[in-house]
Amino acid sequence: MTFSLNRNLIRWIIVVSSFIIISLILWNTYSFFQNFKEEERSKMENWSFAQKEMQKTDNLNLDLGLPLAIISSNTTTPMINVYSDGSLDPRNINEKKDKDSLYLIGLIKEFTKENEPIEISYQGKHYSTVYYGNSPLLNRLKYYPLALLLIIFLFAAVVYFFYRSSKNAEQNKLWTGMAKETAHQIGTPLSSLVGWTEILKTENVNPEYIVEIEKDIDRLQTITERFSKIGSAPTLKTMDIVEVTKSSYEYLKLRSSKLINFEIIIPETEIQVNLNEQLFSWTIENLVKNAIDAMKGKGDLKLELTQLENQVFINISDTGKGIPKSSFAKIFEPGYTTKKRGWGLGLSLAKRIVEDYHNGKIKVLTSELGKGTTIQIILKQV
């Protein structure tokens, strides 16, 4: 318990520290951007002053070297000088568009939003208005926080997926170990049951009892083999999926509540599919049992198997409580369950068997709250 609390505390410290560091970086970038913007404003004011000095043509002794140097030094900041007569003097603008008056008027509106225009007057008379935009360097700096956030987001995503993959691998390893250990533990009493059955056959026991006991022993052997295959690559054989599906369905039908109205619609001809019979039967049983649980032991349950364009479709429908659309994908995640008593492994196991072992697909085909759900399995025909 203490270890778990310390681990959660460390996680919160890392989250809060990361948030503070990101906030400081963004604030520092914003401050730098504003300072750089103020420097550009000062540069443009100097340029405007130099432009104003150039108008003092009545003073022939005035040295214009400095104003000319200031004016010619601006080679990056885009600007448009609008004279009092309405003429436009663009500078540092796209050469292919600097003659397009409509384009320049649009730029003036854009520049006005970016920076406040500078008025140039001489001897109380309006001379021109300077509209200027952000320099290329300033524009790149403006998008720097977004790029930084994107990098941080991508880094966090990589860390998250790495952590999730490691966690899933650990869970799969634990699940595999538990499954194999379960198979091992069942094997010992199962062998004993087989021996006792042989002894009972020599005694004066009703043969019908022996037959039923043998059926349950066969069932336990099937379960043991299923668990022992978890974590190992299963062997697929070309089999008739119609017969395998029917056998699994009928087995559950005989051992389920009589209040369930079972219906099965299957072709009369064989359909050959690469299957691992035990694992596929396990999938059908999991889906049927989930459907029965969803109906609370009372309702209509239908299995329909169809074939179309080298694909086999198996739809299992119930009249249970239904699934919210937001949970269609979640129900196949390990640990997800709506039952008070449940591990949330049945559907995740079915998904793994269908998609990882049989290269098929399993999904919620339709579902409506209060009316029922249809789960669909899709497999390739041989």
Side-chain angles (χ1 to χ4, degrees), residues 23 59 78 124 133 137 191 201 217 247 261 267 271 333:
S23 300
N59 188 350
L137 179 60
S191 299
K201 288 180 181 179
I217 289 175
S247 176
N261 179 30
I271 301 177
E333 295 178 358

Side-chain angles (χ1 to χ4, degrees), residues 100-359:
D100 187 344
S101 58
L102 293 178
Y103 173 74
L104 295 178
I105 291 173
L107 276 183
I108 289 174
K109 293 180 180 179
E110 184 179 332
F111 289 166
T112 303
K113 294 179 182 178
E114 293 180 354
N115 299 288
E116 184 180 351
I118 300 175
E119 301 286 340
I120 300 177
S121 300
Y122 178 63
Q123 294 182 349
K125 182 179 178 181
H126 174 72
Y127 175 68
S128 66
T129 303
V130 179
Y131 299 89
Y132 70 99
N134 295 329
S135 66
L137 179 60
L138 195 59
N139 281 329
R140 286 196 293 270
L141 186 62
K142 181 171 61 177
Y143 295 110
Y144 173 75
L146 295 178
L148 182 63
L149 286 176
L150 179 61
I151 293 172
I152 293 173
F153 173 78
L154 291 175
F155 178 76
V158 169
V159 172
Y160 170 75
F161 284 117
F162 175 78
Y163 170 76
R164 185 174 181 181
S165 298
S166 301
K167 187 176 181 181
N168 288 339
E170 184 178 349
Q171 289 178 344
N172 288 335
K173 187 175 180 180
L174 177 62
W175 165 242
T176 300
M178 289 178 62
K180 290 185 179 296
E181 179 62 21
T182 301
H184 176 71
Q185 294 295 334
I186 293 176
T188 302
L190 184 58
S191 299
S192 178
L193 284 174
V194 172
W196 282 110
T197 304
E198 294 300 322
I199 293 175
L200 288 175
K201 288 180 181 179
T202 62
E203 302 293 332
N204 188 21
V205 177
N206 189 335
E208 293 182 359
Y209 298 164
I210 303 296
V211 171
E212 292 303 318
I213 291 174
E214 287 180 335
K215 286 182 180 179
D216 288 333
I217 289 175
D218 289 340
R219 179 63 178 171
L220 285 172
Q221 287 176 334
T222 300
I223 293 173
T224 302
E225 290 180 10
R226 287 175 179 175
F227 275 97
S228 66
K229 292 180 184 296
I230 296 297
S232 304
T235 302
L236 303 182
K237 296 181 180 179
T238 301
M239 307 182 68
D240 177 19
I241 193 173
V242 175
E243 181 60 32
V244 174
T245 303
K246 180 181 177 181
S247 176
S248 301
Y249 194 72
E250 292 294 336
Y251 175 85
L252 290 170
K253 179 180 178 181
L254 295 174
R255 288 160 175 76
S256 299
S257 169
K258 301 302 180 183
L259 299 176
I260 300 292
N261 179 30
F262 285 86
E263 180 183 0
I264 183 169
I265 302 174
I266 55 177
E268 295 181 359
T269 58
E270 293 185 358
I271 301 177
Q272 298 297 318
V273 175
N274 287 328
L275 288 178
N276 181 286
E277 182 178 1
Q278 294 168 344
L279 294 181
F280 178 74
S281 297
W282 198 358
T283 300
I284 296 297
E285 291 173 17
N286 276 333
L287 295 179
V288 170
K289 287 179 180 178
N290 271 339
I292 293 173
D293 289 342
M295 296 186 294
K296 296 183 179 180
K298 182 180 180 180
D300 298 327
L301 197 154
K302 181 173 74 171
L303 185 149
E304 183 176 4
L305 191 152
T306 57
Q307 176 188 7
L308 180 64
E309 296 180 355
N310 297 325
Q311 286 187 318
V312 179
F313 299 86
I314 303 172
N315 295 343
I316 299 177
S317 306
D318 63 60
T319 55
K321 59 185 178 180
I323 304 169
K325 194 170 183 179
S326 59
S327 299
F328 279 14
K330 292 181 181 178
I331 64 171
F332 296 105
E333 295 178 358
Y336 181 85
T337 180
T338 57
K339 304 174 188 176
K340 292 182 179 179
R341 295 181 180 179
W343 290 75
L345 294 175
L347 289 178
S348 65
L349 182 61
K351 181 180 178 68
R352 183 170 184 176
I353 291 172
V354 172
E355 297 188 354
D356 294 350
Y357 294 161
H358 290 85
N359 294 321

Side-chain angles (χ1 to χ4, degrees), residues 44-55 79 81-84 117-131:
M44 290 307 302
E45 287 178 348
N46 291 335
W47 188 94
S48 300
F49 180 79
Q51 190 74 18
K52 178 179 178 181
E53 290 295 308
M54 292 292 293
Q55 307 309 312
M79 56 175 289
N81 195 10
V82 181
Y83 295 101
S84 56
I118 300 175
E119 301 286 340
I120 300 177
S121 300
Y122 178 63
Q123 294 182 349
K125 182 179 178 181
H126 174 72
Y127 175 68
S128 66
T129 303
V130 179
Y131 299 89

Side-chain angles (χ1 to χ4, degrees), residues 339-380:
K339 304 174 188 176
K340 292 182 179 179
R341 295 181 180 179
W343 290 75
L345 294 175
L347 289 178
S348 65
L349 182 61
K351 181 180 178 68
R352 183 170 184 176
I353 291 172
V354 172
E355 297 188 354
D356 294 350
Y357 294 161
H358 290 85
N359 294 321
K361 293 181 180 179
I362 184 171
K363 63 181 179 179
V364 179
L365 184 62
T366 59
S367 186
E368 189 173 350
L369 294 178
K371 293 188 176 181
T373 301
T374 298
I375 303 289
Q376 183 178 74
I377 298 174
I378 305 175
L379 296 174
K380 294 180 181 179

